[in-house]
Amino acid sequence: MKRTLFICSIVLVLCVGAAASQEENSPFIAIQNVAIIPVVGEDIPEGTILIKDGLIAGIGRDIPIPQGAKLYDAKGLRAYPGMIDSSCYLGLYEIGSLRATIDNRETGNINPQVRAAEALRPDSMHIPISRSNGITTALIVPSGGLVAGQSGLIKLAGWTPDEMVIQKTFAMHIELPGMGRSRRRRTTEARQPASKRITDLKELFHKARIYQKEKKAAQKDLRLALPEFDEKLEFMLPVIDGDLPVVISVHSEQDILDAIDFVKAEKVKTIFSGVSEGWKVSDKIKEAGIPVIIGSLYAMPPKWEDGYDSLYRNPAILQKAGVLFAFSSQSASLAKDLPYHAAKAAAFGLDKREALKGVTIYPAQIFGIDDKVGSLEKGKLANIVLADGDILELRTVIKHVFIDGKETSLSSVYTELLDRYKNRNN
Amino acid sequence: MASSQKYYLLIILGIICLLFTNPVLAQDLLIKNGTILTVTKGTLQNGDILVRSGIIKKIGQNIQAPESVKIVDATGKYVIPGLIDSHSHIGLSGTNESAETISSEVKMRDVLNAEDTSIYTALTGGVTMTHTMHGSGNPIGGENVVIKTKWGKASEEMLVYEAYRTLKFALGENPKQSNRQGQTTTLRYPQTRMGVNAIIRSEFLKAQNYMEQWDRYEKAVKSKKGSNTLIPPRKDLKMEALADMLRGDMYARCHTYRADETLEFIKLSKEFGFKIICFEHAWEAYKIAKEIATENIGISIFADNWAYKVEATEGIAYNAGYCTKQGVIVSINSDSGERIRRLFNDAAKAMKYGGLTEDEALKLVTINPAIQLGVDQIVGSLEKGKHADIAIFNEHPMSAYTRCDMTIIEGEIYFDRAKYLKDQEETAKKKKEKAKEKPKKKGGTQ
C-alpha cells in the first residue's frame, strides 16, 4: 500500500514536473487584457503584448497567443515602456557621507580616461528601488572637474557589470560651472568662471589635435618620433575625431551660447545637460540642433529674478521651441523619482504626453537606442512596466517590470526591511 | 457736562453701528465654487468659504457675502488648508550654535530673518506655517519657534504664540560629529552615542539640582520673613530652559535616526519626566512603531530622502504609511528651503508606499503637523472658527501634476500665481524696452 502510494506520488510529481517544464519551455510570454501606452503610436485600451526571446514579438488588440505561453492577466493595469534616466549615479554612489561608497567623482580637472561603467556596482541598494519604480535604462555619469570622464549606458538588470552594460562608453562629460548651485566637494577648478573653462577646453582640444597629428605622421613615417604618450590626450582622440559625443553640463544663458559656439567650431556631436536657463535661448539651442538632458527639478532657480518656477517651466519652453529633451534624476538615492520630475514639468505647462516621452522615447533617441528601447513596438526589447495607473503619478504602484523580456524582482531594501519589521510589530 | 455725555453716546453709538454693519476688512474673502478638502470634515464639491477678519466664518454652498468682499473664484480647483511644515530651518539667520555642546539657552525667535526668500518659496508650495528649528549639531540645541510664512511682514507678525514651546535635542551622527571630514580641531565630547546619551542625562541632573537650589532659596525666603541676608542662586539660562522642560512648560523635539537611540531617549524622558512631543527624521520608526504609538509621540519625517549618511541607510519610503497605520501621528517635513515647496508631492508618496488614501496622505502635511505643534485648534483643517490659512491647487494636491495657484494666510493673499505671471510678463516687457532704449555701444573692440 505504502509502496504504491509512493510510486503514485512519484509519477504524479513527474507528470506535474513535465507539465511545468513544458510551460517553461515555451519561449512565449503573453501579457493579456492590458491597457497599452506604447508612447509611439496610438494607445490601445485593451490588448496583448507577446514576448519572445527578450523582444516584443507582437503587440495589439488581437494577437494570437501560442500554446504554452506563460500568461499574465493584466486586467486593470497599464503597460508602459521602461523609463530611461538620462543622467544618474546609480551603481556609483551609495551613502552620501561615506567616501568609501562614492565612485562618481574623481579628483583633478581633466579626466577623460575614467569610465563610469567600470565602477558600476550591480549590488547597489539604489538600483532595485529605481527598477521597482519602472526605470529600466540609465546613463550613469561621472562628475567633477572640467572633463569628468566617460558615461555609460546600462540596463537595470544583471548580476555583473557586463550583464548590465549596454554601451560601456556613451559620451565624454564636460562640466562648465553649475550656476552657483551648491555642490558638495566642489573642486577649486570648478569655481573658475565658464569663460576660463572654455579657454581651457579649447586648449585641450588643440593639444589633442596636435598630438593626433604627430601620432599619425609618426605612423606613416618610421623616422619621425612618436609624441610622448599622454594618457589624457589619448582618451580625447575619439572626441576630436567625432566618434564620441560630448555631454556638456551648462546652465547660464551666456554659458550656453558660448558652449554652442565652442562645439560648432570643434565640430563635435553634442548633448547639453542641466541647462537651467535653456528657456532664455531655446531657439538658439534648437538652431544648433543640440538635444538637452534636463537637470533635476529638485532645485532652486539659479536666479531670483527669473521667478520661482523658472526651472519648472523650462522643459515646456524647450519643447515648444522644438528641442529634443529628456529628464534626469541626477541622483542615486532618489533616482526612482525620475517620473516626478517629468510630472512637475507637466504641472508647469508641458503636455503630459510630452512629459512621458521625456522619460522614454526622447532619451532613447538622444542616446541612439530608439530602435531597441523607449517605446512598446514590435521588434524592440521587451522592457515593459505594468502599472496600476499613470506611470508619472506619485500614487501609482508598479506591479511588474520586464527587462529584456525577463520579469525582474521588485523587492528592494525598502520591501525587505518593511517585511522583516512587519513580523516584529504584528 | 451734558455735551461731553452726548459725545460719549455718539462714540458708543458709532461702535455699535460698526459692529452691526460689519465693515469689510482686508482680511475678508469669499472663495467660490471649489472642491474643498477640509481634511477633518470630508470633501465639499462646489463649495464656498467665507472669511471674515482672517477667520473662517462659514463653509458651504452658495454663500452670500457683502458686496465689497473680495471674491476668489476657485472653479475647477482644490481648496485645502495651508500646508504646515513641522521641521524646517527657514527664516533664520543662524541654525546651529556650534561653539558649545549644550546650547539650551539660545532661542530661534531671536534670529528670525523675515527677508529669507525661503519664506516666499514656501508660499509658492502652499505652505503657511512652519516649525523653524535649531540645528542638530548639539545634543541639546535651542528653543524652536513656529512662524507663519507672512512674506513681506515683520518677523514679530509671523510668530504663532499658540504653539507649544519646544526644545531641540539631537542624537547620533550629528551631535557626535562623525561626518566632519578633515577636521583639524580637537574632537569635542561626545564622540559616541554613549556620550550623547550621558551628556543629556548629566544636563538634566544638573537642571534638577538647579531647581532644587532655587526651591530651597525660595522656601528659605518665605520661612525667614524679612531676611535679606540670603543670596539667591545664580541664574543660568541653560538650566532655565531645562527646568521649563522638567516643569512641563516646554516639550522635546528630538532629532533621531536609529531605533535603538530613539528608544533610549524615550527612557531618558521617563527617567526625568519630560515630554517628547515629536521625533525628527525617525528613519527607523517603522521598527518600533508599537513603542512610539504607545508613548503617543509624533514623528516628523522625510518621505524618502535617505542614504545621505550611514544612520539614514535603513530609512525606507514605507515609514510614513506604515507608521500611520500603526497609530503614530506622522508628518512629512522638508528640512529644506527647497523641498518645502513640494511638501504635497512628498506626502503623496505615502499612497504608493504604505497604501494611504488621498485624505490620509493630505493629513501628513496639514492636521498632523498642526497636532505636533499644538495648533490644531486654530489651523490644519478647514473648519468654522479656524484661521483662514488656505492653499488653492489647480489639480488634486496629491497628484504629481498639481500646482499651487494661491496661498492665503488669515484671509490675506500672500501668493497669487496669476498675479505673479502678470508681474513676470511686465518685468520682461520693461526689460525689453530698456534694451531697445540703450544705444548700441560702438568701437568697443577687444
Side-chain angles (χ1 to χ4, degrees):
Chain A
M1 184 61 195
K2 257 187 187 169
R3 206 189 180 97
T4 44
L5 225 133
F6 179 68
I7 291 168
C8 274
S9 58
I10 283 185
V11 169
L12 205 80
V13 164
L14 283 175
C15 285
V16 170
S21 71
Q22 196 185 6
E23 203 163 84
E24 267 167 29
N25 280 343
S26 167
F28 288 99
I29 297 172
I31 303 164
Q32 294 174 291
N33 310 315
V34 68
I36 302 169
I37 293 96
V39 175
V40 168
E42 293 275 301
D43 290 1
I44 301 162
E46 195 167 294
T48 303
I49 305 173
L50 198 62
I51 302 170
K52 190 192 175 221
D53 299 332
L55 303 178
I56 297 173
I59 184 166
R61 273 190 187 81
D62 303 299
I63 302 291
I65 295 164
Q67 240 189 347
K70 188 173 181 203
L71 302 177
Y72 283 83
D73 183 8
K75 200 156 184 68
L77 300 182
R78 305 186 195 182
Y80 288 91
M83 291 183 281
I84 303 169
D85 191 344
S86 294
S87 181
C88 69
Y89 308 128
L90 282 173
L92 305 174
Y93 189 109
E94 287 299 291
I95 301 167
S97 68
L98 224 55
R99 268 189 63 199
T101 69
I102 310 292
D103 287 308
N104 67 321
R105 184 175 285 259
E106 204 29 270
T107 183
N109 198 31
I110 311 277
N111 285 313
Q113 73 284 2
V114 305
R115 291 187 176 125
E118 289 179 347
L120 172 62
R121 175 164 167 80
D123 284 335
S124 163
M125 64 182 176
H126 300 300
I127 291 173
I129 292 170
S130 283
R131 184 173 60 212
S132 61
N133 206 25
I135 297 153
T136 57
T137 312
L139 184 74
I140 54 169
V141 306
S143 62
L146 176 60
V147 179
Q150 305 169 27
S151 60
L153 269 170
I154 63 165
K155 62 183 173 200
L156 300 195
W159 298 90
T160 64
D162 279 356
E163 284 176 21
M164 297 181 73
V165 170
I166 299 169
Q167 199 175 324
K168 189 168 183 177
T169 293
F170 169 70
M172 189 64 74
H173 284 244
I174 291 167
E175 293 193 356
L176 298 178
M179 288 293 302
R181 288 214 208 168
S182 68
R183 280 233 176 107
R184 271 191 225 174
R185 284 191 284 277
R186 193 190 267 193
T187 56
T188 14
E189 291 86 350
R191 289 199 208 97
Q192 292 168 340
S195 53
K196 162 84 169 80
R197 288 162 77 77
I198 287 187
T199 313
D200 288 351
L201 210 52
K202 281 180 183 162
E203 198 182 313
L204 178 69
F205 272 65
H206 182 65
K207 274 188 195 160
R209 291 220 156 87
I210 292 172
Y211 182 77
Q212 188 185 42
K213 223 181 224 171
E214 288 176 358
K215 228 176 132 171
K216 274 185 179 161
Q219 275 159 359
K220 273 184 201 157
D221 188 342
L222 282 172
R223 289 167 303 177
L224 293 174
L226 275 168
E228 196 181 336
F229 181 80
D230 187 317
E231 166 200 46
K232 312 278 181 189
L233 298 181
E234 198 66 40
F235 285 93
M236 286 304 290
L237 295 180
V239 175
I240 59 164
D241 280 340
D243 295 335
L244 191 63
V246 291
V247 172
I248 303 182
S249 296
V250 59
H251 286 282
S252 81
E253 182 181 2
Q254 192 54 51
D255 291 358
I256 294 170
L257 295 177
D258 289 349
I260 290 175
D261 288 345
F262 169 75
V263 297
K264 264 186 193 164
E266 298 292 345
K267 293 188 182 68
V268 284
K269 196 181 168 226
T270 305
I271 297 159
F272 281 161
S273 172
V275 201
S276 40
E277 289 187 17
W279 57 280
K280 292 182 181 174
V281 285
S282 54
D283 50 336
K284 297 275 171 34
I285 300 172
K286 163 70 186 163
E287 204 183 288
I290 298 172
V292 164
I293 296 167
I294 291 160
S296 168
L297 298 192
Y298 290 172
M300 290 304 292
K303 287 183 186 138
W304 168 261
E305 61 269 26
D306 287 344
Y308 81 97
D309 61 350
S310 74
L311 282 186
Y312 293 165
R313 60 190 154 85
N314 187 32
I317 296 170
L318 289 169
Q319 187 269 330
K320 270 173 204 135
V323 175
L324 182 59
F325 67 96
F327 292 98
S328 70
S329 70
Q330 293 188 315
S331 174
S333 59
L334 283 177
K336 71 166 181 67
D337 276 12
L338 174 73
Y340 317 136
H341 295 276
K344 185 61 91 183
F348 286 80
L350 183 66
D351 174 74
K352 283 184 184 176
R353 189 43 66 100
E354 287 293 314
L356 177 62
K357 287 182 176 175
V359 290
T360 52
I361 191 67
Y362 290 161
Q365 287 168 358
I366 292 173
F367 300 142
I369 50 173
D370 52 316
D371 56 329
K372 293 190 191 77
V373 298
S375 63
L376 298 179
E377 293 177 87
K378 195 176 168 179
K380 282 199 177 184
L381 288 174
N383 289 352
I384 303 165
V385 178
L386 301 183
D388 71 354
D390 183 337
I391 201 171
L392 302 188
E393 265 296 2
L394 290 151
R395 76 190 63 189
T396 299
V397 177
I398 306 299
K399 299 288 189 182
H400 301 275
V401 174
F402 297 87
I403 297 180
D404 292 359
K406 278 190 198 128
E407 182 163 21
T408 62
S409 165
L410 297 186
S411 75
S412 66
V413 174
Y414 282 3
T415 59
E416 284 154 21
L417 283 168
L418 180 73
D419 290 344
R420 194 196 304 167
Y421 283 91
K422 259 184 183 169
N423 285 332
R424 188 226 163 205
N425 285 325
N426 280 344
Chain B
M1 188 70 187
S3 67
S4 79
Q5 258 180 356
K6 250 184 209 167
Y7 186 63
Y8 280 124
L9 208 73
L10 267 174
I11 290 179
I12 289 165
L13 264 174
I15 290 171
I16 290 170
C17 277
L18 275 172
L19 283 174
F20 276 92
T21 49
N22 229 351
V24 175
L25 301 168
Q27 287 165 302
D28 290 352
L29 206 64
L30 180 63
I31 300 167
K32 294 278 309 169
N33 200 30
T35 300
I36 300 174
L37 309 179
T38 66
V39 173
T40 43
K41 307 219 155 140
T43 299
L44 181 66
Q45 304 288 344
N46 306 108
D48 303 345
I49 299 178
L50 178 64
V51 177
R52 301 302 307 262
S53 310
I55 301 289
I56 297 173
K57 201 87 193 162
K58 218 177 192 182
I59 301 177
Q61 283 170 326
N62 303 312
I63 294 176
Q64 301 299 317
E67 253 179 45
S68 46
V69 165
K70 188 179 165 62
I71 289 180
V72 172
D73 182 14
T75 305
K77 296 190 177 183
Y78 290 80
V79 183
I80 66 169
L83 305 182
I84 301 172
D85 187 348
S86 194
H87 178 138
S88 82
H89 307 282
I90 70 165
L92 297 176
S93 40
T95 314
N96 276 298
E97 177 44 67
S98 356
E100 51 185 7
T101 309
I102 303 298
S103 53
S104 47
E105 75 278 20
V106 309
K107 294 181 191 321
M108 305 323 283
R109 64 171 288 183
D110 292 342
V111 290
L112 279 178
N113 171 17
E115 289 173 13
D116 177 7
T117 54
S118 300
I119 295 170
Y120 173 81
T121 304
L123 282 171
T124 66
V127 174
T128 53
M129 185 187 274
T130 181
H131 186 224
T132 189
M133 306 177 75
H134 190 275
S136 50
N138 293 339
I140 306 181
E143 187 177 338
N144 312 303
V145 66
V146 176
I147 58 167
K148 289 205 187 183
T149 51
K150 294 178 182 169
W151 176 245
K153 295 276 161 74
S155 54
E156 278 71 26
E157 294 174 74
M158 298 186 184
L159 292 170
V160 179
Y161 294 98
E162 294 91 337
Y164 293 142
R165 287 180 65 207
T166 61
L167 190 65
K168 176 76 175 270
F169 288 76
L171 313 176
E173 291 179 27
N174 290 12
K176 77 193 195 89
Q177 303 190 320
S178 44
N179 297 317
R180 297 205 168 185
Q181 278 167 11
Q183 181 163 308
T184 48
T185 52
T186 320
L187 296 175
R188 81 168 190 198
Y189 171 79
Q191 289 292 307
T192 65
R193 285 184 169 81
M194 303 184 285
V196 171
N197 218 49
I199 200 171
I200 295 172
R201 175 179 288 116
S202 298
E203 291 302 313
F204 274 111
L205 287 171
K206 267 192 230 168
Q208 281 178 336
N209 178 272
Y210 176 78
M211 287 168 84
E212 198 185 338
Q213 284 181 38
W214 273 97
D215 273 354
R216 288 165 62 95
Y217 167 73
E218 274 156 13
K219 270 181 200 156
V221 167
K222 264 183 202 165
S223 63
K224 295 177 194 167
K225 267 179 197 170
S227 160
N228 48 11
T229 53
L230 283 169
I231 300 167
R234 185 192 174 117
K235 267 267 186 238
D236 185 332
L237 295 182
K238 273 193 216 304
M239 291 299 115
E240 286 293 328
L242 294 183
D244 280 350
M245 295 273 311
L246 293 176
R247 285 186 211 107
D249 293 340
M250 185 151 61
Y251 299 149
R253 299 271 310 214
C254 184
H255 161 115
T256 166
Y257 279 81
R258 284 185 4 191
D260 46 278
E261 67 192 14
T262 309
L263 291 173
E264 287 306 319
F265 195 73
I266 292 176
K267 281 196 244 165
L268 261 184
S269 80
K270 291 190 171 168
E271 195 176 321
F272 292 96
F274 63 84
K275 185 175 169 68
I276 310 165
I277 195 73
C278 188
F279 283 121
E280 314 301 310
H281 308 308
W283 253 138
E284 296 187 3
Y286 64 94
K287 297 183 179 180
I288 48 169
K290 261 198 299 208
E291 284 83 352
I292 295 178
T294 308
E295 297 298 328
N296 202 17
I297 300 169
I299 59 172
S300 167
I301 60 178
F302 291 131
D304 53 8
N305 179 40
W306 75 307
Y308 40 88
K309 52 181 166 175
V310 173
E311 62 188 2
T313 52
E314 297 200 358
I316 60 174
Y318 291 96
N319 202 25
Y322 181 73
C323 288
T324 298
K325 290 196 169 171
Q326 296 289 314
V328 180
I329 300 288
V330 181
S331 70
I332 297 289
N333 69 41
S334 76
D335 193 15
S336 141
E338 187 275 315
R339 210 178 290 113
I340 199 165
R341 63 178 181 159
R342 47 188 174 85
L343 266 189
F344 47 96
N345 289 155
D346 275 354
K349 287 170 176 172
M351 296 192 286
K352 178 197 197 78
Y353 299 107
L356 297 193
T357 63
E358 281 176 348
D359 291 344
E360 287 171 325
L362 187 56
K363 282 184 179 178
L364 303 176
V365 286
T366 53
I367 194 71
N368 286 6
I371 293 169
Q372 292 171 352
L373 302 182
V375 290
D376 53 312
Q377 293 305 311
I378 53 166
V379 293
S381 65
L382 298 176
E383 289 177 67
K384 192 185 160 186
K386 282 198 173 184
H387 293 192
D389 295 359
I390 299 168
I392 301 179
F393 282 72
N394 69 331
E395 291 199 31
H396 194 289
M398 295 297 100
S399 164
Y401 296 115
T402 197
R403 184 185 68 217
C404 176
D405 280 347
M406 189 178 278
T407 309
I408 297 160
I409 301 175
E410 292 161 17
E412 254 184 87
I413 299 172
Y414 279 85
F415 168 70
D416 180 354
R417 183 165 160 83
K419 187 176 175 296
Y420 159 83
L421 289 176
K422 228 172 131 190
D423 289 350
Q424 285 288 115
E425 212 173 282
E426 265 168 34
T427 319
K429 221 192 245 171
K430 271 184 202 161
K431 211 174 161 189
K432 248 185 193 171
E433 278 166 16
K434 236 184 185 177
K436 266 185 198 168
E437 276 170 29
K438 260 188 200 168
K440 274 178 193 168
K441 278 180 191 170
K442 278 177 186 173
T445 51
Q446 278 189 319

